[in-house]
Amino acid sequence: MTTPTPLFSPFKLALVQLAVGSNKDENLKNARKNVLEASNHGANVVVLPECFNSPYGTSFFPNYAENIPQGSSVKALSEMAKDAGVYLFGGSIPERDESTGKLYNTSTVYDPEGHLVAKHRKVHLFDIDVPGKIRFQESETLTAGNWLTHITTPYGKLGLGICYDVRFPEMAAIAARKGCIAMIYPGAFNMTTGPLHWELLQRARAVDNQIYVAMCSPARDTSASYHAWGHSSVVDPRGQVVATTGHEQDIVYADLDPELLASFRQSIPLNQQRRHDLYCDVAENVEEHADGTVLLK
Ligand SMILES: *[C@@H]1O[C@H](CO)[C@@H](O)[C@H](O)[C@H]1NC(C)=O
Ligand SMILES: *[C@@H]1O[C@H](CO)[C@@H](O)[C@H](O)[C@H]1NC(C)=O
């Protein structure tokens, strides 16, 4: 029998629930101030929300989109990671691929020296069309990413998704089977899906996989066209919410504890008792690459 308990060191995670406005430079300044504050409070890994440098909505994306890594947001994020000395999950920004002109919903990650260590493009695009009711086609503006992303840090391996990605259990399951101890999702649910599913989805991904799950939302701006739910939270491997907030700008802190994860997995040993003779292992044909990308073999 194997003991697949992933080893990691205890660390402090901070989610910055940022108030986002329409001025990109102001958004970057505010992000910097809060990342430095989180670091002063002892955070080792800091997360910014989805769409933290631009108002939320597909109509804004072409104007706010930037090249990665040449754009101003990447430069600012790299500097704040370095000055704060933290691993920084740079929320998400609209990315323009110069060679194709395509737009992506992209999250970039930096190490404490400011190096860009991973780039995740949102994998699942949100398209809905209920005739006569609502039509929202994210795929008309954006292109989907084609890889999963796991980031190796000295604290442990962390999986990364964006917002709607949290609804797809396979992605979190693959991360957990490959040894990630947490899934991190910058996200922005609205005032309907927030109360209904925001916490439930995090608890579900956490308890199914016995990992930590964190989602970081922008603060709610009632003067903007999109009203984010807020409630950035961290859920532990038992499925309990260990840190959360309301809808104002705030920083949510949680201490991630390897012993809690290991002891919970011991008391309910799902990993040793799966029946892959009866159903497939979602991680079976998946391969991790040195640059953090994760693909089918
Ligand atoms: C990213 O994904 C969200 C959630 O599906 C979507 O609604 C939003 O418009 C996208 N944001 C960006 C910056 O492309
Ligand atoms: C939130 O999004 C859902 C899914 O697209 C939609 O059905 C609902 O009307 C939206 N709610 C608000 C308050 O915009």
Side-chain angles (χ1 to χ4, degrees):
M1 198 172 82
T2 54
T3 317
T5 306
L7 295 171
F8 71 102
S9 321
F11 66 96
K12 193 183 283 292
L13 176 67
L15 312 178
V16 176
Q17 180 163 296
L18 203 72
V20 177
S22 56
N23 182 319
K24 194 196 269 189
D25 289 336
E26 288 300 322
N27 291 332
L28 290 170
K29 265 190 215 153
N30 190 22
R32 179 183 170 83
K33 189 173 140 264
N34 280 276
V35 169
L36 290 169
E37 182 183 328
S39 154
N40 286 336
H41 279 77
N44 311 102
V45 178
V46 181
V47 182
L48 290 169
E50 174 169 30
C51 219
F52 79 94
N53 72 353
S54 129
Y56 192 83
T58 43
S59 60
F60 298 104
F61 300 156
N63 287 333
Y64 285 79
E66 318 180 0
N67 176 275
I68 295 176
Q70 277 94 31
S72 60
S73 298
V74 169
K75 190 162 171 284
L77 288 166
S78 159
E79 277 168 12
M80 59 185 102
K82 188 172 171 200
D83 295 343
V86 295
Y87 273 87
L88 179 62
F89 284 67
S92 79
I93 61 174
E95 174 195 4
R96 179 179 289 106
D97 184 329
E98 302 292 347
S99 59
T100 59
K102 286 182 176 168
L103 297 180
Y104 299 87
N105 195 341
T106 302
S107 183
T108 51
V109 184
Y110 306 81
D111 71 12
E113 280 80 50
H115 302 121
L116 177 63
V117 292
K119 176 169 107 169
H120 180 73
R121 289 171 166 171
K122 184 157 177 263
V123 170
H124 302 95
L125 295 184
F126 185 60
D127 285 349
I128 83 165
D129 191 359
V130 185
K133 292 215 169 127
I134 178 168
R135 183 180 151 80
F136 183 87
Q137 301 282 312
E138 205 170 39
S139 62
E140 281 172 0
T141 341
L142 295 171
T143 308
N146 284 327
W147 62 84
L148 305 180
T149 307
H150 300 167
I151 296 125
T152 302
T153 77
Y155 309 111
K157 200 152 61 173
L158 307 172
L160 173 60
I162 302 178
C163 198
Y164 189 48
D165 285 339
V166 73
R167 292 187 184 270
F168 297 84
E170 292 86 350
M171 198 171 157
I174 289 169
R177 306 289 155 75
K178 291 291 183 187
C180 291
I181 48 101
M183 276 303 294
I184 293 183
Y185 302 96
F189 276 31
N190 72 14
M191 298 297 287
T192 309
T193 55
L196 207 54
H197 291 153
W198 175 260
E199 183 183 306
L200 175 67
L201 286 165
Q202 290 172 77
R203 297 184 66 194
R205 298 296 83 88
V207 79
D208 274 354
N209 299 297
Q210 303 180 312
I211 55 172
Y212 284 91
V213 174
M215 287 190 84
C216 184
S217 168
R220 189 176 309 157
D221 176 358
T222 47
S223 69
S225 57
Y226 188 91
H227 300 167
W229 173 236
H231 293 81
S232 298
S233 324
V234 182
V235 176
D236 78 11
R238 298 173 296 193
Q240 285 183 327
V241 178
V242 287
T244 188
T245 184
H247 63 261
E248 312 276 346
Q249 176 162 299
D250 195 8
I251 306 180
V252 172
Y253 296 95
D255 290 304
L256 273 60
D257 175 6
E259 276 174 29
L260 181 138
L261 182 141
S263 75
F264 184 63
R265 285 185 178 184
Q266 240 164 16
S267 61
I268 306 185
L270 300 179
N271 283 336
Q272 282 90 310
Q273 292 164 355
R274 287 185 216 284
R275 290 288 307 273
H276 293 312
D277 55 328
L278 297 179
Y279 44 79
C280 297
D281 176 359
V282 285
E284 194 175 52
N285 293 313
V286 171
E287 203 165 40
E288 293 179 308
H289 298 266
D291 63 356
T293 60
V294 183
L295 294 163
L296 279 180
K297 274 180 203 157

